[in-house]
Amino acid sequence: GTADLTGLVDGAIIVSVSATDTAGNTTAGTGAAITLDTSADADANLAVSFSDILINAAERTAVAFEVTGLDGDALATVTFTDINGTTVVVPGSAGTADLTGLVDGAIIVSVSATDTAGNTTAGTGAAITLDTTPPIAIVTLDPITADNVITSAEAGGLVAVTGTVSGDVADGGIVTLTVNGINYAGSVTGGVFSIDVPAARVSGPFT
């Protein structure tokens, strides 16, 4: 026989049996105990999260994630999907994923859990961005001085090396000048930069 237990809540279910014959006698038989488990996420709080959602080239082979809200009898699966529909699937217990096979762009991350009773439940996913392409920057140096000559009077001080930056560089980006083996850095604002360099060193070469 079968019974529809839809109205019962998950947990221990006590099953009893009795019999009544045509004479009206009623006798209790030997019962049983079963467990009703209809969800792999009993508290409805299964989720995957990231401490870093912008993944660069150095991070892509071991992208860290955390699965929370997993029931004690369940195993989680985390799936990463790129804009082309390519997926990387890892166990939730792995803690990291290698996204080498995915293309740059938005990555949709989903999580599901399957428990020992065979229930499968989807949890709350996340979105991260994979960006492994180095920025392309075009740096143009201005003349070092108005006449592009450093005089003896100027040689003992600092010279502001200025220039412009175009391409994939935002405000706050760093320009590094290497002058005779020594690095000097400055930030970009509005596509321009100014870096103070000891005039005595400004005989090049610049890189």
Side-chain angles (χ1 to χ4, degrees):
T2 62
D4 184 353
L5 305 187
T6 302
L8 304 186
V9 298
D10 281 9
I13 304 296
I14 303 302
V15 184
S16 60
V17 60
S18 63
T20 302
D21 64 14
T22 55
N25 302 300
T26 298
T27 301
T30 302
I34 62 174
T35 299
L36 182 62
D37 182 356
T38 62
S39 174
D41 184 16
D43 296 325
N45 60 348
L46 177 66
V48 60
S49 61
F50 297 81
S51 59
D52 179 7
I53 62 172
L54 182 58
I55 311 303
N56 61 33
E59 299 166 329
R60 75 181 303 170
T61 58
V63 178
F65 63 86
E66 182 180 12
V67 174
T68 56
L70 186 65
D71 287 3
D73 68 335
L75 297 175
T77 299
V78 179
T79 302
F80 298 77
T81 306
D82 69 14
I83 57 176
N84 292 334
T86 304
T87 60
V88 170
V89 181
V90 296
S93 59
T96 63
D98 183 351
L99 304 188
T100 301
L102 304 186
V103 299
D104 280 7
I107 305 295
I108 302 302
V109 187
S110 60
V111 60
S112 63
T114 301
D115 65 12
T116 53
N119 301 300
T120 298
T121 302
T124 301
I128 61 176
T129 299
L130 183 62
D131 184 355
T132 63
T133 304
I136 298 174
I138 300 172
V139 178
T140 303
L141 293 178
D142 298 330
I144 299 301
T145 62
D147 56 5
N148 219 23
V149 174
I150 296 176
T151 66
S152 59
E154 296 167 331
L158 297 175
V159 173
V161 179
T162 61
T164 59
V165 181
S166 59
D168 188 16
V169 178
D171 282 359
I174 302 299
V175 173
T176 300
L177 297 177
T178 302
V179 184
N180 291 323
I182 298 177
N183 293 335
Y184 302 90
S187 61
V188 177
T189 302
V192 300
F193 65 90
S194 178
I195 301 172
D196 288 336
V197 177
R201 292 193 173 276
V202 185
S203 59
F206 287 97
T207 59

